[in-house]
Amino acid sequence: MKIGTTHLFVPGPTVVPEVVRRAMNVPMEDHRAPDFPDFVLEILSDLRCVFRLRTGRVLLYPGSGTAAWEASITNCLERGDRVLMSRFGHFSHLWADMARRLGLDVVCHDVPWGEGVPVETYERELRADPSIKAVFVTHNETSTGVASDVRAVRRAMDAAGSDALLFVDGVSSIGSVDFRQEDWGVDLAVAGSQKGFMLPAGLAILGVSERAVEAAERTATERCFFSFRDMITANDVGYFPYTPPTPLLHGLRASLDRLLDEGMDDVAARHRRLGHGVRQGVQAWGLDLCATAPRWHSDTVTAVRLPTDVDGAALCRNAYHRYRTSFGGGLGKVAGKVFRIGHLGDVNEVSCLTALAAAEMALLDAGAAIDPGAGVAAAQQYFRQALADEKGGEPVIRT
Amino acid sequence: MKIGTTHLFVPGPTVVPEVVRRAMNVPMEDHRAPDFPDFVLEILSDLRCVFRLRTGRVLLYPGSGTAAWEASITNCLERGDRVLMSRFGHFSHLWADMARRLGLDVVCHDVPWGEGVPVETYERELRADPSIKAVFVTHNETSTGVASDVRAVRRAMDAAGSDALLFVDGVSSIGSVDFRQEDWGVDLAVAGSQKGFMLPAGLAILGVSERAVEAAERTATERCFFSFRDMITANDVGYFPYTPPTPLLHGLRASLDRLLDEGMDDVAARHRRLGHGVRQGVQAWGLDLCATAPRWHSDTVTAVRLPTDVDGAALCRNAYHRYRTSFGGGLGKVAGKVFRIGHLGDVNEVSCLTALAAAEMALLDAGAAIDPGAGVAAAQQYFRQALADEKGGEPVIRT
Amino acid sequence: MKIGTTHLFVPGPTVVPEVVRRAMNVPMEDHRAPDFPDFVLEILSDLRCVFRLRTGRVLLYPGSGTAAWEASITNCLERGDRVLMSRFGHFSHLWADMARRLGLDVVCHDVPWGEGVPVETYERELRADPSIKAVFVTHNETSTGVASDVRAVRRAMDAAGSDALLFVDGVSSIGSVDFRQEDWGVDLAVAGSQKGFMLPAGLAILGVSERAVEAAERTATERCFFSFRDMITANDVGYFPYTPPTPLLHGLRASLDRLLDEGMDDVAARHRRLGHGVRQGVQAWGLDLCATAPRWHSDTVTAVRLPTDVDGAALCRNAYHRYRTSFGGGLGKVAGKVFRIGHLGDVNEVSCLTALAAAEMALLDAGAAIDPGAGVAAAQQYFRQALADEKGGEPVIRT
Amino acid sequence: MKIGTTHLFVPGPTVVPEVVRRAMNVPMEDHRAPDFPDFVLEILSDLRCVFRLRTGRVLLYPGSGTAAWEASITNCLERGDRVLMSRFGHFSHLWADMARRLGLDVVCHDVPWGEGVPVETYERELRADPSIKAVFVTHNETSTGVASDVRAVRRAMDAAGSDALLFVDGVSSIGSVDFRQEDWGVDLAVAGSQKGFMLPAGLAILGVSERAVEAAERTATERCFFSFRDMITANDVGYFPYTPPTPLLHGLRASLDRLLDEGMDDVAARHRRLGHGVRQGVQAWGLDLCATAPRWHSDTVTAVRLPTDVDGAALCRNAYHRYRTSFGGGLGKVAGKVFRIGHLGDVNEVSCLTALAAAEMALLDAGAAIDPGAGVAAAQQYFRQALADEKGGEPVIRT
C-alpha cells in the first residue's frame, strides 16, 4: 500500500506546480471558438521569451521531445543530407539513431560518457567538410548529467565558415538553465513540456529560427502531422491544424506566467544554486559524478557513479518501494552504474535535501559506505550561505 | 464576461465525465517505475474490448487523430503503394490529401457530400485492380454527419478477392457507435482521445490487426516517432518508447471503466437514441440534414442544412457569444451552409434538449423560419417514449 | 448507471463556476502563516462589497445558513427578548422555531404560503409594542419562491419609531438579487456559501452592522464557537479563532472576483432576466406559481404549483432517475404540491431552457396537461428579446 | 515569489492524500436526492470503524474541532454541571475556558506543560466528589506534543465508582494513533477533519456513545445547530438537518477507504514509527522535547524546546520565508520557546527526514548549536532498521 507523498526526483517528468495543476483542470472547449486565437497567440508569443527568440517562432505539437526531434529533422533536412553529431549518453545516442533511421548521412563522434559535445572536433570536421548541412548538440545529456557549451559550437561553426543549421536538444535544459536561442544562433531548439515547463508530458515544443523556417520551405520531402507549413498557417490565425490538447495549453499559460514572473535569469540562477547544492552532497558522500569535470556539470540533473559493488537498478527499486522515492536509474551504457537525481522545474532547496536524505538511505541499504547525513549537511551549509547571500544577510539570524 | 456554463455541442472535443476529469488530476510520476507496467498493460488490454479486437493490439501515441492517420499509413504502406479512397466531407478529403502527400498512389472517388463510402464502386475497383494495397473508409464523416457501412466494405473486398488492408477512420465513431474491428476485418482503426473516449485531445489511439502488425514488419520505410516496432517492443514490457502523457493515461483508465461498465452495446444504443431524438428535432424545424438518406445518418453528429439566406458561421458566432453555446460550423465545401450538433460521449437526453433549445434561439436570431420550441417538443416526445420503453413502462407515470 | 451531466436545478447548492472550482483545488497550508492575513483581510473587505456594507463587518463561520441564523441570535439577543417574526414557508418556519428553542419570546405572524413579510402588520405591532428587540425578515423564502421587501420593513420600523435590530435571512438572495445591507438598515444579514456565492456548502456568511456588533458586546449570554468577539479579535489581525476551511476561502476569493467583475447591479439584472424567463415558461404551461402575486416573485427560485392529480415528489424522483435532472421538491406544507426550479448563481439563459425542457418531460410523465415545448418557446422568445435589448440590437441578426 | 512545494509540517491541517484530493473535486449535487442516503449511511457506518465504536454513533457537523467541543458540551451537559478537567497546554486551556464560558462548574487541575492528564489526581477527585458529571481528557495535547492515557482515566473512574461521562479531545489523535472509543469507555470523542482524517478543515467529527445519546435526550437546554436530536433524526434516514459540505463528504469517503485499507492498527504502528524517528532526530540535536518523559511522547506531533537564546517565532518565520517550510510555532505559555513538527496523516519516512533537514537549517540560522545533518542521520538509521524489520529483512540489501 502506498502511504504518503511519492517523492519524485526523476529528471522529468518534473513536479507540476500547484498553480499549473489548477490551470489544467478545465472542461473541454471548442478549439475553433471565435476567441480561441486570443488565447493561443499570447502563448506562442510568450514562449519566445523562454527560448529568448526575438525572431522566428515556437511551434507546439502534441507529442514528446522525440516528436520534436523528428519534426525538426523531417522539416528542415532531406534524406541523404550530411549532419554532424556526437554521442555521449543515452539520449544523444537515440538522436543519432533517429537521424540515421530517417535517412541522414550522419557523421557521428563518440565521446566518453561523462563529457559533452567536442567543440574542437566539430570545428575541425566543419572546416574539412563544407557539405555538412546541420550540426547537432545535446545541450544537457539527461542520462549522464552533462551540459555542453552551445554558444561555443556556434562560434566554432562561424570560425569554420559553416552555414549549417544548428540543432539543439534542450529537452532538459530549456526553461531551467541559461538558454539563448537567438544569441547563440540555434536554428532548431527541441523541448518538451515535462521538464523545465513543469507540465505533464504531451507537448513537443520547438523553437525555430527564421533560417529554419526558410529551410523547411525549401525542403522537398512531404510531412503531414509534423509539417511546419501546416502548423504555421494555422498558428498565424491562432488555431492549430488539428485538435490541440487544451488542458496542456492552459497549463502552459500558467507555466509561462510562472517562469516569466520569476524571470528567466532568476530561474537559471536558482537551478545553478540547486545543482551546486546537490553536488556538494554527492561530494560529501565521497562518490563521483558521472560528469567528469566541472565544465560538464549539469544544473538540472546529477548522475552519481556508484561503487562497483552497488547495483543502481536495485537501489532505485528499493528507494521506490521502501521509501516512496523515485530516482532516475542508469540508462544505456551506464545502466546499473549510476543513479540520477533530477533537480529541475518547480524545485526548491528543501526539496533537494529531501532527495539527498532519501538517497542516503537507499545508498546505505545498497551497501555504499557513506556517512549518514553527510550529504544533507553539506548541502544545508551551502544552501544556507547561498540564500543568505542572495538576501544580503547572514546565515545566522539574531532577532 | 462569460457567465455560466459553456454549453458544448461540437462533435469533439466532447464533455469529459466528472469521474474521468477527477482521474486526470494527478501529480507527476515516474513512467519507468517498477509498477508502471501493471497500470499500462491493463489499459492496453481493456482498449481491445472497446475496439472489439480479440487479436492484434491497440497502440497509443501522444497526438491527435491526424497522428493516428499518419502512423497507420507510414507503418503499413510504402511510397507508391496504390490505395483506394473516397471523399465526401472535410475529413475524408484531408485523409486523401495526407495519403497523397505521403507518397501513396491514391485512387480516390469523389462522392456527393451527404453520402458515404460507395461500396459498389469500391468492389468494382478492387475487381478491376488487384494491385490495390489498401482500402480506406471514413466510418463517420464528422463534417457532414454521415456514417458508412464498414462491414459492407470488407464484404465487398472479400467478394472481389482483395487481400488489401482495410483502414478505417473511426475518430468520431469508435467508443460511441457500433464498431467491431475483428468481425469487420478492419486492419487499422484510427481513433482519438477527444471523442468517444471522452478525454481531452492528446492521444492518438490506433487499433491494429495482426495482419497490420505483420505488414508493418515487412515495410521498408523507416519511421521513428510513430514506429509500430518501437512502440510494441516497449508496450510488451508495459512501457512506452518515450515519456507518455500520464494524466491522459489515468483519464483513459477511468474512461475505459466507464465505457465497459455501461457496456459497448448499451453505449451504442444510447447514441442511437440520442441521434434519433436530435434528428426528430431537426425534422420538426422543417430543415434538412446534410446526410441525404437515413442509411447515412450518423448517431454521433448531426449536420443541419441551413436555409440559403442563413449564414452558418454567423449563427455559430452568435450562439457562442450570446448564448454561450458551441456548435460545430460547416467545414470545407459546406462552410456557412450547415451547422453541426455533436451528441457523442458523455451525453444524455436532457443535454440534447439543451442543444436543440439553444439552436432554436440561434436559428431564429439568424432569421430561420422555424417554430420556437418545435424541435425540443419533438425530441421530448421521442425521448419520453424511448426511455419508457427501455424501462418497460409507460411515459405517463401515475403514483 | 449515471450517464452524462446531472442537470442541477435545486435552489442551492448551486453550480460552482469552473474558475471557483479550480481555485478550491489547493493543497493544505498553515492558517497561521505570516502571510495568511493578507489573504484573509482582502476577502473580508471584499465581502462587504457584496453585502453593500460601508461600515460593520462580514463574519465567516464554518457552517451552513442555519449556523449563521444561530450566530446572529445568540450573539445579539438574550433569552426572553421579544422578537417579531412571520412565517410563510419552510425556512421562515424553521427560523421561528429556532428562535423559540433558543429562548426568545417570539411574536410570530402566520401568512399564507405564497405571500411574504406583512409589512403593515409589522408596523402595527411595532407601534403597539415598543419592547420588541428585533424584527426578522426572510428576504427570499426558498420553499415558495417568494421575495419580500426588506427596505419597506426598515421604513415601517422607522415610521413606528422602533430601534429594534433588523435580522434578514438572505441565504437565497444575497449575492444574486439586489441587497443593500447598509442602505436598508439591516443589522444581521444571513447568507451561506452554497447559493449566490456559488461555492459548496460549508461557510456561514454573516453581514453585521455596527449596531449589531455593539449589541453583541452588551449581550451577557456566553457563546464560544459562534462568538462575535472571538471572531472579530482574530479577524482583526487576519486570522480565525480556529482552523478555517481554507479551500472554501480560496473558492470565496475566486467567487468574489467573479461577482465583483460582473458587478452586483449586473448580477441582479441577470437574475431578474433569468427569473422572468422561467416564469414566462411556467405561464405558457398554464400552471400557477406558488407566489400569489408579481410583487412576491423571486428571481432566484420559482416554485410551481402542480395540478392536484400530480404528485410533486414522484415528479422529482422521475426527473432525477430518468432524466438526470434535480429539481427542488416541495417542503413542509407544500410537500408534493409544488416543485421548484433554482435559477441562481452561475446560471445563464440556456441553462434555464434546459431546466424548462427537462421539467416539461417530467410534467408530461407525471400526467400534467401541458404543451410540450411551450415553456421553452416562451422563455426563448423572452430571452432573445432581452439579450438583444441589452446589446442594443435586434433579435434577428442579418449578416 | 513562492517557488516549489511548500513543505507542510504543522500538526494540522495535514497533507491531503492525492486520492482524497481528487475525490473532493466534485460538482455540486442535490443533498436531498433519492440516492444520497446510500452515500451518507455508509460513511456514518465506516466512521465507527475509525473510532472503534460498536454501538453509539459518529456525528458530522460543518465546523472545526472547537465546534465538536461545543456540541459535546451543550448536548450532554447543563449549565451548572460539575466537571473535572486538567490543563497542560494551549488546547486543554481553551477547552476548560469554553466549559466555563458555557456555564459548567469546572474543577480544573493545572499540570506542568509537558505532562499529561493526572490520572491519580482524577481518581482522588472522583472519589471525593460524586457530583462530578463529566471527566475531560485531552488525549493528545497538540501544543506540547503530549499524549495522555485515556484508558487509565476510565479505569480510575471505574475504580472511584464514578458514572460520569468521559469526554475526550482526540482532535490530533483519532485516525492516527491507537484510539478505542468503546473499549476505553469514552462517551464523547471529539475529532476534526483536518488531522488524522487528512482532509481540509470544515468537519467537526464526534464519536458519541449510547450513554451520551441518552444523556443528550435528558438534557433540558435547547440547542439548534448542534442538536444531537435533529442530527440523529436526519441521519437515521441518510440526510442532514441542513445543507452538508458535500465535497468534504466525498473526501471523507476516500479518506475512510484509505484508513481502513491500511488498517487502523497499521496506521497507529506507522505513526509510532514516524514519531520515534523524529524524536531520534531531536535527541541527536541535543535538544529537549517539551514532553518531559517517554510516557507523554506524542506520535503525531513533536514539540521541541529551543535553547533560551533562540526565538521560536523568528525561527518559524525564517523557515517559512526562506525555506518554504511550515512548522508549528509555540502557543500560549510556550510561545517562542518551542517549535513543533507535525507528523500525522499522510506522512511517510522521507517526509519526516524533510522536516528534520529543513528544521536543521532553521535551527542553525537561529543560532542553535546543533550538528548539521545529525538529526537526519539519526532518523535515517532508525527508519532503515524499522522498515527492514517490518519487511523481515536486513537494512543492507545485497542483490
Side-chain angles (χ1 to χ4, degrees), chain C residues 57 83 106 113 136 173 202-203 250 265 320 350 359 378 381 398:
Chain C
R57 326 181 139 253
V83 302
V106 180
W113 287 34
F136 286 63
S173 65
L203 281 179
H250 286 282
D265 287 338
Y320 183 76
V350 172
Q381 185 164 347
R398 296 283 174 188

PDB file of all heavy atoms in Angstrom, chain C residues 57 83 106 113 136 173 202-203 250 265 320 350 359 378 381 398:
ATOM      1  N   ARG C  57     -19.189  44.695   9.460  1.00  0.00           N
ATOM      2  CA  ARG C  57     -18.272  43.628   9.062  1.00  0.00           C
ATOM      3  C   ARG C  57     -19.039  42.459   8.454  1.00  0.00           C
ATOM      4  O   ARG C  57     -20.236  42.335   8.667  1.00  0.00           O
ATOM      5  CB  ARG C  57     -17.555  43.016  10.266  1.00  0.00           C
ATOM      6  CG  ARG C  57     -17.224  43.892  11.376  1.00  0.00           C
ATOM      7  CD  ARG C  57     -16.495  43.078  12.421  1.00  0.00           C
ATOM      8  NE  ARG C  57     -15.395  43.834  12.964  1.00  0.00           N
ATOM      9  CZ  ARG C  57     -14.123  43.595  12.705  1.00  0.00           C
ATOM     10  NH1 ARG C  57     -13.774  42.588  11.937  1.00  0.00           N
ATOM     11  NH2 ARG C  57     -13.173  44.338  13.235  1.00  0.00           N
ATOM     12  N   VAL C  83     -39.219  39.248  20.045  1.00  0.00           N
ATOM     13  CA  VAL C  83     -38.862  39.472  18.631  1.00  0.00           C
ATOM     14  C   VAL C  83     -40.098  39.282  17.757  1.00  0.00           C
ATOM     15  O   VAL C  83     -41.007  38.532  18.113  1.00  0.00           O
ATOM     16  CB  VAL C  83     -37.747  38.521  18.156  1.00  0.00           C
ATOM     17  CG1 VAL C  83     -36.494  38.687  19.004  1.00  0.00           C
ATOM     18  CG2 VAL C  83     -38.216  37.066  18.171  1.00  0.00           C
ATOM     19  N   VAL C 106     -41.138  34.946  20.970  1.00  0.00           N
ATOM     20  CA  VAL C 106     -41.407  35.179  19.553  1.00  0.00           C
ATOM     21  C   VAL C 106     -42.849  35.590  19.306  1.00  0.00           C
ATOM     22  O   VAL C 106     -43.780  34.840  19.630  1.00  0.00           O
ATOM     23  CB  VAL C 106     -41.093  33.914  18.737  1.00  0.00           C
ATOM     24  CG1 VAL C 106     -41.371  34.158  17.246  1.00  0.00           C
ATOM     25  CG2 VAL C 106     -39.655  33.472  18.941  1.00  0.00           C
ATOM     26  N   TRP C 113     -48.841  30.795   2.664  1.00  0.00           N
ATOM     27  CA  TRP C 113     -47.664  30.452   1.858  1.00  0.00           C
ATOM     28  C   TRP C 113     -47.918  30.912   0.424  1.00  0.00           C
ATOM     29  O   TRP C 113     -48.919  30.582  -0.188  1.00  0.00           O
ATOM     30  CB  TRP C 113     -47.402  28.950   1.901  1.00  0.00           C
ATOM     31  CG  TRP C 113     -46.852  28.469   3.226  1.00  0.00           C
ATOM     32  CD1 TRP C 113     -47.148  28.946   4.460  1.00  0.00           C
ATOM     33  CD2 TRP C 113     -45.904  27.413   3.412  1.00  0.00           C
ATOM     34  NE1 TRP C 113     -46.443  28.276   5.425  1.00  0.00           N
ATOM     35  CE2 TRP C 113     -45.671  27.310   4.811  1.00  0.00           C
ATOM     36  CE3 TRP C 113     -45.219  26.542   2.573  1.00  0.00           C
ATOM     37  CZ2 TRP C 113     -44.800  26.377   5.365  1.00  0.00           C
ATOM     38  CZ3 TRP C 113     -44.347  25.607   3.116  1.00  0.00           C
ATOM     39  CH2 TRP C 113     -44.139  25.527   4.505  1.00  0.00           C
ATOM     40  N   PHE C 136     -37.539  40.190  12.298  1.00  0.00           N
ATOM     41  CA  PHE C 136     -36.945  39.181  11.410  1.00  0.00           C
ATOM     42  C   PHE C 136     -37.652  39.165  10.055  1.00  0.00           C
ATOM     43  O   PHE C 136     -38.878  39.131   9.996  1.00  0.00           O
ATOM     44  CB  PHE C 136     -37.072  37.785  12.030  1.00  0.00           C
ATOM     45  CG  PHE C 136     -36.129  37.532  13.186  1.00  0.00           C
ATOM     46  CD1 PHE C 136     -36.216  38.270  14.363  1.00  0.00           C
ATOM     47  CD2 PHE C 136     -35.163  36.538  13.102  1.00  0.00           C
ATOM     48  CE1 PHE C 136     -35.356  38.028  15.435  1.00  0.00           C
ATOM     49  CE2 PHE C 136     -34.302  36.284  14.163  1.00  0.00           C
ATOM     50  CZ  PHE C 136     -34.391  37.038  15.329  1.00  0.00           C
ATOM     51  N   SER C 173     -30.803  35.012  -1.387  1.00  0.00           N
ATOM     52  CA  SER C 173     -30.893  36.287  -2.124  1.00  0.00           C
ATOM     53  C   SER C 173     -29.548  36.992  -2.231  1.00  0.00           C
ATOM     54  O   SER C 173     -29.182  37.493  -3.297  1.00  0.00           O
ATOM     55  CB  SER C 173     -31.920  37.220  -1.467  1.00  0.00           C
ATOM     56  OG  SER C 173     -31.510  37.601  -0.157  1.00  0.00           O
ATOM     57  N   GLY C 202     -20.720  25.021   3.513  1.00  0.00           N
ATOM     58  CA  GLY C 202     -19.634  24.899   4.468  1.00  0.00           C
ATOM     59  C   GLY C 202     -19.218  26.208   5.109  1.00  0.00           C
ATOM     60  O   GLY C 202     -18.500  26.212   6.093  1.00  0.00           O
ATOM     61  N   LEU C 203     -19.696  27.319   4.548  1.00  0.00           N
ATOM     62  CA  LEU C 203     -19.419  28.617   5.169  1.00  0.00           C
ATOM     63  C   LEU C 203     -20.733  29.309   5.482  1.00  0.00           C
ATOM     64  O   LEU C 203     -21.574  29.518   4.598  1.00  0.00           O
ATOM     65  CB  LEU C 203     -18.617  29.526   4.234  1.00  0.00           C
ATOM     66  CG  LEU C 203     -17.118  29.310   4.109  1.00  0.00           C
ATOM     67  CD1 LEU C 203     -16.539  30.304   3.112  1.00  0.00           C
ATOM     68  CD2 LEU C 203     -16.403  29.430   5.454  1.00  0.00           C
ATOM     69  N   HIS C 250     -10.300  29.978  -0.528  1.00  0.00           N
ATOM     70  CA  HIS C 250      -9.755  30.223  -1.869  1.00  0.00           C
ATOM     71  C   HIS C 250     -10.883  30.278  -2.899  1.00  0.00           C
ATOM     72  O   HIS C 250     -10.859  31.081  -3.830  1.00  0.00           O
ATOM     73  CB  HIS C 250      -8.733  29.145  -2.233  1.00  0.00           C
ATOM     74  CG  HIS C 250      -7.432  29.304  -1.515  1.00  0.00           C
ATOM     75  ND1 HIS C 250      -6.494  30.230  -1.887  1.00  0.00           N
ATOM     76  CD2 HIS C 250      -6.938  28.687  -0.428  1.00  0.00           C
ATOM     77  CE1 HIS C 250      -5.451  30.151  -1.063  1.00  0.00           C
ATOM     78  NE2 HIS C 250      -5.700  29.222  -0.169  1.00  0.00           N
ATOM     79  N   ASP C 265     -24.794  45.070  -9.597  1.00  0.00           N
ATOM     80  CA  ASP C 265     -26.004  45.506 -10.309  1.00  0.00           C
ATOM     81  C   ASP C 265     -26.285  44.595 -11.501  1.00  0.00           C
ATOM     82  O   ASP C 265     -27.439  44.243 -11.763  1.00  0.00           O
ATOM     83  CB  ASP C 265     -25.853  46.963 -10.787  1.00  0.00           C
ATOM     84  CG  ASP C 265     -25.947  47.938  -9.625  1.00  0.00           C
ATOM     85  OD1 ASP C 265     -26.520  47.568  -8.568  1.00  0.00           O
ATOM     86  OD2 ASP C 265     -25.433  49.066  -9.763  1.00  0.00           O
ATOM     87  N   TYR C 320     -35.125  12.903 -11.621  1.00  0.00           N
ATOM     88  CA  TYR C 320     -33.779  12.564 -11.174  1.00  0.00           C
ATOM     89  C   TYR C 320     -33.301  11.258 -11.809  1.00  0.00           C
ATOM     90  O   TYR C 320     -32.198  11.177 -12.353  1.00  0.00           O
ATOM     91  CB  TYR C 320     -33.765  12.457  -9.652  1.00  0.00           C
ATOM     92  CG  TYR C 320     -32.401  12.175  -9.073  1.00  0.00           C
ATOM     93  CD1 TYR C 320     -31.448  13.187  -8.990  1.00  0.00           C
ATOM     94  CD2 TYR C 320     -32.064  10.910  -8.606  1.00  0.00           C
ATOM     95  CE1 TYR C 320     -30.181  12.934  -8.467  1.00  0.00           C
ATOM     96  CE2 TYR C 320     -30.812  10.656  -8.077  1.00  0.00           C
ATOM     97  CZ  TYR C 320     -29.863  11.668  -8.006  1.00  0.00           C
ATOM     98  OH  TYR C 320     -28.622  11.416  -7.483  1.00  0.00           O
ATOM     99  N   VAL C 350     -29.414  29.672 -21.459  1.00  0.00           N
ATOM    100  CA  VAL C 350     -29.577  28.311 -21.974  1.00  0.00           C
ATOM    101  C   VAL C 350     -29.744  27.319 -20.823  1.00  0.00           C
ATOM    102  O   VAL C 350     -30.492  26.339 -20.932  1.00  0.00           O
ATOM    103  CB  VAL C 350     -28.405  27.940 -22.919  1.00  0.00           C
ATOM    104  CG1 VAL C 350     -28.459  26.471 -23.312  1.00  0.00           C
ATOM    105  CG2 VAL C 350     -28.468  28.810 -24.183  1.00  0.00           C
ATOM    106  N   ALA C 359     -38.116  19.859 -17.248  1.00  0.00           N
ATOM    107  CA  ALA C 359     -39.350  19.926 -16.449  1.00  0.00           C
ATOM    108  C   ALA C 359     -40.552  19.519 -17.290  1.00  0.00           C
ATOM    109  O   ALA C 359     -41.469  18.848 -16.803  1.00  0.00           O
ATOM    110  CB  ALA C 359     -39.542  21.338 -15.897  1.00  0.00           C
ATOM    111  N   ALA C 378     -41.685  29.964 -24.872  1.00  0.00           N
ATOM    112  CA  ALA C 378     -41.987  31.260 -24.257  1.00  0.00           C
ATOM    113  C   ALA C 378     -40.720  31.888 -23.674  1.00  0.00           C
ATOM    114  O   ALA C 378     -40.483  33.096 -23.810  1.00  0.00           O
ATOM    115  CB  ALA C 378     -43.054  31.076 -23.166  1.00  0.00           C
ATOM    116  N   GLN C 381     -38.397  33.156 -26.476  1.00  0.00           N
ATOM    117  CA  GLN C 381     -38.831  34.443 -27.040  1.00  0.00           C
ATOM    118  C   GLN C 381     -38.405  35.591 -26.124  1.00  0.00           C
ATOM    119  O   GLN C 381     -37.866  36.602 -26.568  1.00  0.00           O
ATOM    120  CB  GLN C 381     -40.345  34.386 -27.191  1.00  0.00           C
ATOM    121  CG  GLN C 381     -40.927  35.604 -27.868  1.00  0.00           C
ATOM    122  CD  GLN C 381     -42.367  35.332 -28.336  1.00  0.00           C
ATOM    123  OE1 GLN C 381     -42.808  34.182 -28.368  1.00  0.00           O
ATOM    124  NE2 GLN C 381     -43.065  36.388 -28.710  1.00  0.00           N
ATOM    125  N   ARG C 398     -28.953  39.908 -39.143  1.00  0.00           N
ATOM    126  CA  ARG C 398     -28.685  39.664 -40.571  1.00  0.00           C
ATOM    127  C   ARG C 398     -27.219  40.000 -40.834  1.00  0.00           C
ATOM    128  O   ARG C 398     -26.743  41.048 -40.398  1.00  0.00           O
ATOM    129  CB  ARG C 398     -29.572  40.567 -41.452  1.00  0.00           C
ATOM    130  CG  ARG C 398     -31.057  40.300 -41.320  1.00  0.00           C
ATOM    131  CD  ARG C 398     -31.450  39.044 -42.091  1.00  0.00           C
ATOM    132  NE  ARG C 398     -32.858  38.718 -41.834  1.00  0.00           N
ATOM    133  CZ  ARG C 398     -33.428  37.599 -42.240  1.00  0.00           C
ATOM    134  NH1 ARG C 398     -32.719  36.682 -42.888  1.00  0.00           N
ATOM    135  NH2 ARG C 398     -34.682  37.351 -41.976  1.00  0.00           N
TER     136      ARG C 398
END
